[in-house]
Amino acid sequence: MQDVRRNMATRWGICGAGNISHDFCVALKTLSSADHQIVAVAARSLESAKKFAKTHDIPNAYGSYNELLKDKNIDVVYIGILHTHHLQVGLLFLNAGKNVLCEKPFAMNLREVKQLISAAKENNVFLMEAVWSRCFPVYAEVGRLLSENTIGDVKMVKVYFGLPLMDRTRTTDREQGGGALMDIGVYTVQFALMVFKGERPESIHATAVLLPSGADQSTVVVLKFSGNRMAICACTISCLLPNDGTICGTEGTIRVANPMHAPTTLEVNGKKTEFPLPEPPLPLNFENSAGLRYEAEEVRRCLQKGLKESSKMSLTHSELLIEVLDEARRQIGVVYKQDSQ
């Protein structure tokens, strides 16, 4: 179990020196250094780690994850590597007694996610799936509006996420955990589950267009909830979609504008409200990813309070999310090697 020092900066260790880790570090720099400090980065090669450390002004660079887990000056590890490795690397840090924020998707299937959660509980450490969307102010406002029945009884949710990513091997290759559903579709499903407050759907129906690799190019998941409520979640890596989330109720509509996974605009019955992001100190790889600051703030809040999980993206919600993704994959015939292990 890690002791977290009260009223002092949260000390981050970064696992992985890729694009998302870059953006996470840039986002951290938009927050006060009195609250957040990046003390170390680890990559599979020391050269990569040193280059990353120089870019982000990080004092320690390690050429292995083992060195990072031995660093006593780290309060929490951010895992920003390919999701096919989340289980193995996540267990490494959790079993070493480190608090962990792990990128989405949490792992490859429910079995793997349960292993991560069990390890966190056994070692009495904090664990959170980095579904950063849940920490955005727009999502908090949506939660408030729904709790106040602003649009009456919610009947239908429509959420789309599509980007032209066919030129990226990581996204199209099944061996690397590729496919629309696991890469970006996860955002559409989590949105629906957020609206319905983590309720388990009564039924799941999925259909897809598959790539020659066996990964999905386009997938539509229809979720039916109690009380005749439904959600339509559509994702594709073949073209651009509206990338918004619409919540339709008996007395109005809430629309989370593009990009729904990292939103700065909310529309309630046609009336728009803006939630601007701060200017990042360095160029970013992903749209609005200065908003990764919100999940960093949430992790700090949890650690300061001695919590082992976040109410914004609880471990129960992570389990339900991967259960829905697993069932959708079963129906569309997308099988990863991790499914048979």
Side-chain angles (χ1 to χ4, degrees):
M1 176 185 174
Q2 257 184 286
D3 267 341
V4 174
R5 309 150 317 139
R6 300 279 183 274
N7 306 319
M8 295 176 83
T10 298
R11 300 169 300 177
W12 291 88
I14 307 296
C15 174
N19 287 345
I20 191 66
S21 291
H22 167 89
D23 285 13
F24 186 75
C25 290
V26 174
L28 281 176
K29 291 291 171 73
T30 69
L31 297 166
S32 167
S33 60
D35 291 340
H36 296 271
Q37 286 173 11
I38 310 165
V39 295
V41 58
R44 283 174 298 182
S45 87
L46 183 58
E47 189 185 355
S48 295
K50 281 183 170 173
K51 187 180 171 189
F52 190 94
K54 189 179 179 187
T55 300
H56 297 283
D57 198 21
I58 302 170
N60 301 296
Y62 302 126
S64 76
Y65 303 151
N66 276 314
E67 289 173 272
L68 184 63
L69 70 85
K70 288 174 186 165
D71 192 322
K72 298 276 193 288
N73 296 315
I74 289 167
D75 297 314
V76 57
V77 175
Y78 170 78
I79 297 178
I81 58 175
L82 195 62
H83 50 282
T84 48
H85 302 296
H86 283 181
L87 176 67
Q88 178 198 355
V89 176
L91 289 178
L92 196 71
F93 288 109
L94 293 167
N95 289 328
K98 295 287 191 205
N99 297 308
V100 168
L101 173 66
C102 180
E103 257 315 323
K104 49 54 61 184
F106 221 170
M108 295 302 292
N109 52 40
L110 179 61
R111 179 185 56 80
E112 289 195 352
V113 167
K114 281 188 164 175
Q115 280 181 263
L116 289 170
I117 291 171
S118 292
K121 288 181 176 171
E122 282 164 22
N123 292 285
N124 196 28
V125 290
F126 174 86
L127 175 63
M128 180 181 178
E129 181 180 11
V131 180
W132 59 313
S133 318
R134 293 280 180 103
C135 301
F136 271 70
V138 166
Y139 274 60
E141 182 63 8
V142 168
R144 187 186 70 78
L145 293 167
L146 292 176
S147 68
E148 293 177 1
N149 289 330
T150 305
I151 57 165
D153 298 329
V154 174
K155 292 296 181 185
M156 179 78 77
V157 172
K158 303 177 297 176
V159 54
Y160 304 94
F161 198 176
L163 296 170
L165 302 171
M166 294 292 286
D167 57 342
R168 295 190 193 177
T169 309
R170 182 190 71 73
T171 309
T172 57
D173 182 13
R174 184 170 56 122
E175 289 301 299
Q176 294 186 60
L181 189 64
M182 289 292 270
D183 191 42
I184 58 179
V186 58
Y187 286 120
T188 66
V189 175
Q190 71 78 27
F191 184 88
L193 296 177
M194 177 272 297
V195 172
F196 292 122
K197 299 180 171 61
E199 185 182 314
R200 185 177 298 280
E202 288 182 348
S203 69
I204 300 165
H205 289 94
T207 188
V209 174
L210 301 189
L211 295 162
S213 71
D216 58 312
Q217 176 182 292
S218 305
T219 297
V220 177
V221 182
V222 179
L223 306 173
K224 187 179 174 189
F225 294 86
S226 66
N228 302 318
R229 299 167 301 158
M230 296 183 82
I232 302 161
C233 307
C235 61
T236 184
I237 51 172
S238 66
C239 62
L240 191 64
L241 290 182
N243 299 351
D244 59 357
T246 307
I247 307 162
C248 304
T250 51
E251 293 170 33
T253 302
I254 296 169
R255 181 173 165 266
V256 175
N258 177 16
M260 54 70 52
H261 70 294
T264 56
T265 306
L266 183 64
E267 249 179 69
V268 184
N269 296 326
K271 187 187 172 196
K272 284 186 185 180
T273 311
E274 300 291 338
F275 298 79
L277 281 164
E279 277 300 309
L282 287 172
L284 296 164
N285 297 297
F286 302 104
E287 189 176 10
N288 284 358
S289 59
L292 289 162
R293 72 201 300 268
Y294 300 128
E295 71 179 1
E297 287 181 303
E298 172 61 9
V299 170
R300 175 171 168 80
R301 184 190 72 83
C302 291
L303 295 180
Q304 293 274 300
K305 289 192 166 183
L307 302 173
K308 302 304 172 192
E309 60 182 296
S310 162
S311 57
K312 290 184 188 288
M313 189 65 200
S314 69
L315 298 175
T316 306
H317 273 234
S318 286
E319 276 194 70
L320 180 59
L321 176 57
I322 198 72
E323 278 185 64
V324 174
L325 296 174
D326 278 3
E327 176 56 23
R329 283 199 301 111
R330 187 190 68 76
Q331 291 182 21
I332 63 178
V334 171
V335 181
Y336 297 116
K337 62 186 177 192
Q338 291 84 355
D339 295 329
S340 58
Q341 286 169 1

